[in-house]
Amino acid sequence: MPDSSSLLHLFENRFSLTEEQSKILQSALFTRGIPLLDAFEKVGVADEIGILKVLSSHLGLQLLEREDYPEKPVLLEGVSMFFLRKHAILPIQVESGRVRVVMNDPLDLPLINILSSYFEDMDLNLCLGQREEIRTAIDRLYGAAAREAEALSRDGEGALFNQDLFEEDLEHLRGLAQEAPIVRLVNVLISRALDMRASDIHFEPFERTFQVRCRVDGVLFDLDQPAKNMQAAIVSRLKLMANLNIAERRLPQDGKIKLKFGSRDVDIRVSTVPTIYGESVVLRLLAQESVDYNLASVGMDSGQLRLMEELIERPYGMLLVTGPTGSGKTTTLYGVLKNLNSVKRKIITVEDPVEYQISGINQIQVKPQIDLTFANALRSLVRQDPDVLLIGEIRDKETADIAIESALTGHLVLSTLHTNDAPGAITRMRDLGIESFLMADSLLAVMAQRLVRVLCPHCKEPYTARDADMNRIRAVIPDLPSTVTLYHNKGCDKCGHTGYRGRQGIFELLKVNDAVRSAIVGEKSGGEIAEIAARESYRPLLHHGYGKALEGTTTLSEVLRVTSLSLNE
């Protein structure tokens, strides 16, 4: 707490306060904890700049001008837009070990304690700003709907959004979901997520809060926290946009939304599921212009790319891409299709769902509710005389059998499996009931992949690898020099202060050559197959990932994150 008597004396001299005014101000600021500008209103002083200049000089804090505010938001976990607006505070810069926050009331010790607790491992650097300029910056960076939503959440008008009303009055719910404030709030949330290059938006109901988060480069960040009593109207608005049944809250639903934001055409996949505190909604944002189907740009090294381009020119056989959900398998396969797409080939895909539409390719959407499954669709498609078949995912023996049969009868088959590595796909296919000799005859290769965040080129920081880092990398890449340079993610305005911008794949490519084919027929385990393949060109995911860390594309911790390892292992 600053010296209250000396600060009060400065205020008395600056604003010529009477003794009575001085006592009122002292009580308001230092006893009752009334916000700064509200306290000065009680003594008839409205000169905000003058007040802030006194505080700036006395406390040694920089007073920001309008142009000092950032152009892009700082991405922070657990920070509510309403909290920022209410207290007129805004994080404007986060870098290694230091955070800079502009605030209007530096005498609010409880608020400073909250900030110190949130940034407990960082140096907190405070600066001053005018209250409305801070709030205007919050609206610009985090959505102009903040003010409207904040007003709606107050008593009175906000009472219209009482959760209990919607259980009985669906027409009332439909009407509220179509009111301008809710419509604008939902649109702003989607627009902000697109500006942040988000792939998904999560609307999550909890007991006392309604959380909105978005996934940027594979990592979730808080986007907003609307008032809990707005939950039903927001969820209903999303369901109306997707042509879903707003009366059905007991069962999951799926739908689609097509929107145009400026020059951007956006397809949105909508999924709702019931939870104990209401419906959870996830929007998958599919902005057509943001997807690059170029196989050469997904992140393979030159050897992997050359082998892949050679394999996909084979007239028949099966190529599998493996990895967890969200590892970029579909984007890789679409890159393959782009290379293969020509007037000389007929290409048919069976997907669930069809995420992106590609000109010149026949794409089929699986619909289990009418028994149009992968297996049923594939039985008909082999009679459509395709050259290339893409099967969205092999989930069961029936689909696997048809895929294998197609690969053995003159078709190039592309598909995905959920396994951790490439050799594990062999074991997984055996578990589905596929005979080893059929796999050996049909498989061309198996590729496993993950997505790593790419370091921002404007702010990444080099450092000399520590002994522990060297030992870890040398276990996979033995021929390392005595010292190597790695990179930290620092954070700047251009990357939203995350230190990363965009993602790339890391890959392992297991070619089924004669040695591997013999191992498959011999019922060898995935580990044994990996050892045999490693004698030739096969290298594990970590090999490619560490290579990207060494070349400065990503960080060592990011590679370990996506390969399910930790720095302590």
Side-chain angles (χ1 to χ4, degrees):
M1 170 67 76
D3 182 353
S4 58
S5 58
S6 59
L7 183 56
L8 193 61
H9 183 66
L10 290 172
F11 284 138
E12 288 171 353
N13 291 338
R14 175 65 186 258
F15 301 112
S16 303
L17 300 179
T18 66
E19 185 177 346
E20 181 63 23
Q21 286 176 315
S22 184
K23 287 180 179 178
I24 293 172
L25 185 62
Q26 182 178 27
S27 172
L29 282 178
F30 303 115
T31 304
R32 298 162 59 194
I34 292 175
L36 183 70
L37 299 187
D38 297 343
F40 274 93
E41 282 182 12
K42 291 181 177 296
V43 296
V45 175
D47 182 6
E48 183 180 7
I49 287 293
I51 297 167
L52 294 176
K53 283 183 176 178
V54 170
L55 288 169
S56 174
S57 174
H58 184 71
L59 302 176
L61 302 178
Q62 182 185 357
L63 177 57
L64 298 190
E65 303 291 338
R66 191 187 304 270
E67 57 270 17
D68 295 325
Y69 291 91
E71 291 299 316
K72 292 186 177 180
V74 172
L75 302 181
L76 296 171
E77 294 186 34
V79 176
S80 161
M81 177 166 57
F82 298 107
F83 180 82
L84 298 181
R85 282 198 104 261
K86 178 181 177 182
H87 296 286
I89 58 172
L90 177 64
I92 59 174
Q93 187 177 15
V94 177
E95 53 187 26
S96 49
R98 181 171 169 269
V99 59
R100 195 170 184 224
V101 178
V102 58
M103 65 187 309
N104 180 251
D105 186 356
L107 304 182
D108 189 341
L109 279 186
L111 180 59
I112 293 174
N113 288 336
I114 290 172
L115 291 172
S116 299
S117 175
Y118 181 85
F119 299 107
E120 58 182 346
D121 297 325
M122 306 182 78
D123 292 331
L124 183 61
N125 178 251
L126 297 177
C127 45
L128 301 179
Q130 296 182 62
R131 184 163 64 184
E132 288 310 309
E133 283 191 358
I134 294 173
R135 287 175 175 166
T136 298
I138 292 169
D139 289 343
R140 174 173 58 82
L141 295 169
Y142 296 100
R147 188 190 301 274
E148 282 185 23
E150 183 182 47
L152 283 170
S153 67
R154 295 176 187 146
D155 291 337
E157 200 176 351
L160 290 173
F161 294 92
N162 187 317
Q163 189 83 16
D164 295 336
L165 291 175
F166 302 123
E167 297 303 323
E168 302 298 334
D169 193 348
L170 291 173
E171 283 307 311
H172 182 54
L173 173 57
R174 186 183 297 273
L176 290 176
Q178 293 175 329
E179 285 186 359
I182 292 297
V183 171
R184 280 197 289 271
L185 175 58
V186 169
N187 287 347
V188 165
L189 289 173
I190 296 173
S191 180
R192 281 172 50 207
L194 287 168
D195 289 340
M196 294 163 66
R197 301 175 294 105
S199 59
D200 306 85
I201 311 176
H202 297 245
F203 295 81
E204 301 169 305
F206 299 104
E207 184 177 8
R208 293 185 175 85
T209 58
F210 181 52
Q211 188 70 44
V212 184
R213 299 190 290 171
C214 65
R215 192 179 296 278
V216 181
D217 293 335
V219 178
L220 281 169
F221 294 94
D222 280 335
L223 185 64
D224 196 1
Q225 188 172 318
K228 177 67 174 176
N229 52 15
M230 299 175 68
Q231 172 182 318
I234 291 172
V235 170
S236 295
R237 172 61 187 165
L238 294 169
K239 290 170 74 174
L240 286 172
M241 293 171 71
N243 293 316
L244 301 179
N245 181 3
I246 66 170
E248 180 55 78
R249 303 188 191 92
R250 301 163 302 167
L251 296 173
Q253 296 186 69
D254 294 301
K256 285 186 178 181
I257 302 172
K258 284 188 76 75
L259 292 177
K260 191 175 182 69
F261 282 92
S263 61
R264 293 176 293 189
D265 290 312
V266 184
D267 290 329
I268 302 175
R269 240 171 51 208
V270 183
S271 170
T272 74
V273 295
T275 74
I276 57 173
Y277 298 118
E279 288 179 282
S280 171
V281 183
V282 176
L283 308 186
R284 181 77 185 274
L285 306 178
L286 306 170
Q288 291 282 353
E289 76 280 1
S290 69
V291 178
D292 186 358
Y293 303 127
N294 190 345
L295 192 60
S297 65
V298 296
M300 297 182 201
D301 64 34
S302 57
Q304 291 169 336
L305 180 61
R306 189 164 53 250
L307 178 56
M308 193 70 167
E309 288 175 337
E310 173 199 319
L311 290 170
I312 64 177
E313 290 298 328
R314 301 282 182 89
Y316 58 87
M318 183 158 67
L319 177 66
L320 293 176
V321 181
T322 78
T325 301
S327 59
K329 301 186 297 295
T330 301
T331 302
T332 298
L333 287 179
Y334 278 9
V336 171
L337 292 184
K338 182 180 178 183
N339 277 32
L340 294 174
N341 194 8
S342 72
V343 70
K344 295 183 293 183
R345 289 189 181 96
K346 177 159 184 173
I347 302 175
I348 303 179
T349 75
V350 186
E351 304 172 66
D352 183 21
V354 174
E355 292 192 1
Y356 297 102
Q357 297 167 16
I358 306 174
S359 177
I361 293 176
N362 300 276
Q363 295 173 273
I364 297 170
Q365 167 79 56
V366 169
K367 294 179 181 175
Q369 62 270 27
I370 59 170
D371 206 29
L372 182 60
T373 62
F374 279 112
N376 289 341
L378 286 169
R379 282 194 199 93
S380 300
L381 294 187
V382 292
R383 293 192 292 272
Q384 289 277 311
D385 189 30
D387 297 295
V388 180
L389 271 174
L390 185 148
I391 305 168
E393 182 185 346
I394 294 178
R395 299 176 180 172
D396 51 45
K397 183 179 187 300
E398 196 174 12
T399 305
D401 280 335
I402 300 171
I404 293 280
E405 183 182 343
S406 300
L408 292 171
T409 55
H411 306 89
L412 180 63
V413 178
L414 312 172
S415 192
T416 70
L417 270 179
H418 287 282
T419 63
N420 289 328
D421 57 14
I426 310 295
T427 307
R428 173 68 177 142
M429 293 287 277
R430 283 195 195 121
D431 292 342
L432 288 176
I434 302 301
E435 296 289 347
S436 293
F437 73 90
L438 292 176
M439 277 191 285
D441 286 344
S442 60
L443 274 178
L444 298 174
V446 183
M447 173 182 279
Q449 70 177 81
R450 302 289 189 277
L451 290 177
V452 294
R453 290 182 290 174
V454 175
L455 280 164
C456 174
H458 303 283
C459 64
K460 65 180 182 180
E461 286 187 335
Y463 70 95
T464 301
R466 300 161 298 185
D467 289 343
D469 299 333
M470 294 291 291
N471 293 337
R472 182 185 291 277
I473 298 172
R474 195 170 274 122
V476 179
I477 307 176
D479 52 341
L480 278 184
S482 56
T483 60
V484 298
T485 299
L486 298 174
Y487 292 83
H488 282 303
N489 58 308
K490 180 183 177 184
C492 65
D493 287 343
K494 295 184 183 295
C495 60
H497 297 278
T498 64
Y500 298 100
R501 186 169 180 84
R503 289 190 290 175
Q504 265 190 22
I506 58 173
F507 302 87
E508 63 179 37
L509 185 54
L510 174 66
K511 181 182 179 183
V512 180
N513 54 24
D514 290 340
V516 173
R517 195 170 289 112
S518 297
I520 294 172
V521 173
E523 303 283 338
K524 300 289 187 184
S525 68
E528 290 173 309
I529 291 172
E531 288 180 12
I532 291 168
R535 295 169 194 160
E536 298 190 32
S537 61
Y538 171 74
R539 296 293 179 269
L541 269 173
L542 277 176
H543 189 280
H544 194 204
Y546 287 162
K548 284 192 179 291
L550 291 170
E551 69 187 26
T553 301
T554 189
T555 61
L556 188 62
S557 60
E558 180 69 6
V559 174
L560 299 174
R561 179 183 72 85
V562 302
T563 53
S564 303
L565 298 176
S566 73
L567 285 168
N568 297 321
E569 289 183 359

